[in-house]
Amino acid sequence: DEVENLLGNTKTQVIKKENKLSEGTVLGVKGQVFIKYDGDKTWKQLLKGDKVREKGIIITMEQSEITIKMTDIANATILAKLRAVINTLRTNPDVEAVSETEINLLAGKVYSNIKKSLENGSRYEVKTGSATAGVRGTQFLSWRDRRGASGVHVFRGIVAFTNHNTGKI
């Protein structure tokens, strides 16, 4: 019952009409990490201080990783040998604490650190193809292997992990 109360309504309210495009900031890079947006012909190497926006495809090479400040309260560390897409990166200019972040993990691991509970209307999700990890203010690692198997390891807090095939949380 306590977990159910903490989870609350598992259907997240999304305020897409009001939320505006946002940018993340690269806090640190180890090794080689590249990004490419639709329409780009070449991959751009990411460096500390660079900005990232939604619809960016990120790849990390072997023994490489990158930490991106997605919002004021959420950082994502994308680990080595990963391929991911930042599907959504938006904030609400009227309510600074309300944001939408969605990372589509194609292969590899993403460590997410959400510093406090998300405000009503906010969402932070990591999609792995077969499941979605939705955050309730926590630290967790999402993973997906090349065969499509996926999972989540929760270090602190609560993560709602939804199986796309069964709909079970």
Side-chain angles (χ1 to χ4, degrees):
D1 288 341
E2 185 177 334
V3 171
E4 289 298 322
N5 288 337
L6 288 170
L7 284 173
N9 183 355
T10 57
K11 294 185 178 186
T12 306
Q13 175 188 358
V14 178
I15 312 171
K16 290 192 178 201
K17 290 181 182 175
E18 297 176 23
N19 291 354
K20 305 291 183 210
L21 290 174
S22 184
E23 292 182 323
T25 303
V26 176
L27 297 177
V29 179
K30 174 183 159 191
Q32 294 182 314
V33 180
F34 300 91
I35 193 164
K36 183 177 175 183
Y37 297 96
D38 283 344
D40 289 352
K41 294 184 182 187
T42 59
W43 292 86
K44 177 189 180 245
Q45 187 168 358
L46 286 169
L47 304 170
K48 184 176 179 178
D50 283 348
K51 301 291 185 187
V52 297
R53 59 187 193 280
E54 67 180 42
K55 307 303 180 205
I57 302 168
I58 295 176
I59 57 171
T60 55
M61 307 309 280
E62 196 166 315
Q63 298 180 356
S64 299
E65 66 181 52
I66 186 169
T67 300
I68 301 170
K69 178 181 176 183
M70 304 303 263
T71 67
D72 285 342
I73 62 165
N75 293 343
T77 300
I78 300 170
L79 303 176
K81 295 169 55 175
L82 175 132
R83 190 172 181 98
V85 179
I86 300 173
N87 282 343
T88 308
L89 189 55
R90 296 178 176 253
T91 57
N92 185 320
D94 297 330
V95 186
E96 203 171 293
V98 175
S99 64
E100 289 180 78
T101 302
E102 180 185 297
I103 300 169
N104 185 5
L105 183 58
L106 305 175
K109 297 177 181 178
V110 174
Y111 174 78
S112 299
N113 183 8
I114 314 307
K115 296 173 185 159
K116 64 179 185 175
S117 293
L118 298 177
E119 296 292 325
N120 188 24
S122 292
R123 74 182 176 101
Y124 182 101
E125 296 179 340
V126 178
K127 295 185 178 251
T128 63
S130 62
T132 300
V135 186
R136 306 292 190 261
T138 190
Q139 293 176 345
F140 69 103
L141 177 80
S142 302
W143 59 269
R144 181 178 183 184
D145 67 20
R146 298 199 185 281
R147 293 172 290 163
S150 61
V152 64
H153 299 281
V154 180
F155 300 103
R156 181 176 53 87
I158 297 173
V159 173
F161 194 64
T162 307
N163 182 314
H164 290 219
N165 295 328
T166 65
K168 289 188 179 183
I169 298 172

